[in-house]
Amino acid sequence: MKDEKLQQAFRSWTQLSQTPDEWLAYESRLKQVLDEEAAKRETELAIEESYERGQHKQDVYVTARLLNDKFPEGFPTVAGAQEYLQGVTSSETLDELRKIVVRVNTWAEAKQTLESKSL
């Protein structure tokens, strides 16, 4: 059938002619399909979120390592630098911090710049 209106009428007629049990079975199958699709999407979102959290942890570690390597007088341990960075939630901010650390030469200059950035 190529006539869309005729197809729609046939579908409507088929639905109307179903018994209550057939209609319930149809709705149950439809709900199952929709639930499976929703579960699949939730899984995809959870995987994305997990990846993003892992990437952020890696960014924090790299920045902390850079702080510790360049300014051990300010951050004697990588763990201490990570603790200092724990409030930073943006990858862009961490990227900016890495650029600052590379640009400055002394701990005093780094400390002043970091404080001006409200970290």
Side-chain angles (χ1 to χ4, degrees):
M1 281 188 281
K2 293 186 180 184
D3 185 3
E4 182 62 35
K5 288 186 180 197
L6 187 57
Q7 286 178 350
Q8 178 133 8
F10 187 69
R11 281 192 298 268
S12 296
W13 175 74
T14 302
Q15 287 179 350
L16 290 172
S17 65
Q18 291 179 338
T19 66
D21 288 340
E22 290 173 326
W23 184 251
L24 185 61
Y26 165 77
E27 285 183 330
S28 294
R29 286 191 305 273
L30 179 61
K31 184 181 181 321
Q32 181 180 1
V33 168
L34 293 175
D35 287 349
E36 288 172 0
E37 289 297 318
K40 194 183 305 183
R41 182 65 183 144
E42 284 180 27
T43 301
E44 290 169 357
L45 290 173
I47 290 169
E48 270 181 42
E49 185 179 322
S50 173
Y51 173 77
E52 289 170 5
R53 275 196 316 259
Q55 183 61 45
H56 182 73
K57 282 183 179 181
Q58 182 67 22
D59 287 347
V60 169
Y61 176 78
V62 167
T63 307
R65 183 70 190 263
L66 184 60
L67 282 167
N68 172 253
D69 287 350
K70 190 158 182 184
F71 305 112
E73 64 276 18
F75 299 99
T77 65
V78 175
Q82 283 179 303
E83 185 177 320
Y84 176 78
L85 296 170
Q86 76 182 14
V88 179
T89 57
S90 163
S91 294
E92 291 81 17
T93 303
L94 288 170
D95 189 43
E96 185 180 339
L97 285 173
R98 287 190 294 272
K99 289 176 184 175
I100 290 168
V101 170
V102 169
R103 188 178 64 233
V104 298
N105 295 316
T106 65
W107 167 239
E109 189 180 0
K111 185 176 179 182
Q112 180 183 14
T113 306
L114 293 172
E115 287 173 354
S116 73
K117 295 291 182 183
S118 300
L119 292 176

